Amino acid sequence: MNFKRLETFIWVATLGSFRKAAERQNTTQPAISNRIAALEEELGVQLFERDSGRTMLTTRGQELLPYAEKIVSMSQQLRKRADRVALLSGILRLGVSETIVHSWLPYFFRELNENTPNLDVEITVDVTGNLRTGLMDRTFDLAFLMGPVSEPKIENLDLCSFPLIWVASPSLKLPDRTLALEELAQWPIITYARNTKPFAEISQKFSELDELPARFYSSSSLAACRRLTLDGIGVSALPLSVISDGLKSGRLITLDAAWTPSQLAFTASYPSVPFNPIAELAANLAVKVSKQYVEPDITKIYRQT
């Protein structure tokens, strides 16, 4: 049985489109149609309904898909054992949360290059909501995001977590004591984009105040949040890796707030079907690197200021 046809069957079923499957397999739509037609003739069943605008599995197609997935997975596992270097080449489409960019991502790429020297990588930095969507529609092979992604065919491996630290410019002249949220709310709260977990948690907490509503300056760019905070526009809760230079230089100070947002927990998430050995290897490397990563010692930063 032709494994390329089985792989094509899985991709069309996963993406729901002959065109998208052709893009994913770097071929033409007629070639995809020919493979599916040949597979249907070989099996003696119709796999897809093509009458409507959408491509949908027939009842027999739904019945046979798990078997095709298992056959292809076992074949790729065999190839992985037999010729690891040849298999681990091509393109890895990687989505990354910006928090990771500012911390251990360079160490990850060093490890990845040593293990897969023939691999090309396409990197997209975005917020978790968009990365999750990219995983679901298979725009990304792998994503480092605030997870986990609760979907049956998405594997989630735990990465390290990052505490958030309230900081501000000394120019705001905030008191050197424990600050109530009402005192922080006198300034704009500079924070993550609105479609993220940190924004949801922070905005919910400040909405409980009896005073006037807090103002939020939200951004999908941590670099922008850092810049606004350095320039004294407002106060912000950011990971240490993003603000350590500002603390060392004295342009930022930490704030002792009565409440601090939860730590940011990240996962390496990738689709388990169709099986992708490159994504699996890269995810496991990310786990290794993230567990070894040690954030700057904040006590040493203080001693230098």
Side-chain angles (χ1 to χ4, degrees), residues 249-267:
S249 66
R251 297 182 62 196
L252 290 176
I253 57 171
T254 61
L255 305 176
D256 180 14
W259 173 84
T260 301
S262 304
Q263 292 193 10
L264 306 182
F266 287 85
T267 60

Side-chain angles (χ1 to χ4, degrees), residues 149-161:
V149 178
S150 300
E151 293 292 337
K153 293 187 177 181
I154 299 292
E155 293 287 339
N156 297 284
L157 305 182
D158 290 334
L159 302 173
C160 61
S161 298

Side-chain angles (χ1 to χ4, degrees), residues 28-46:
T28 63
Q29 189 168 332
I32 296 295
S33 298
N34 289 337
R35 290 176 191 172
I36 295 300
L39 182 60
E40 288 178 327
E41 182 178 355
E42 183 176 5
L43 296 175
V45 298
Q46 183 178 346

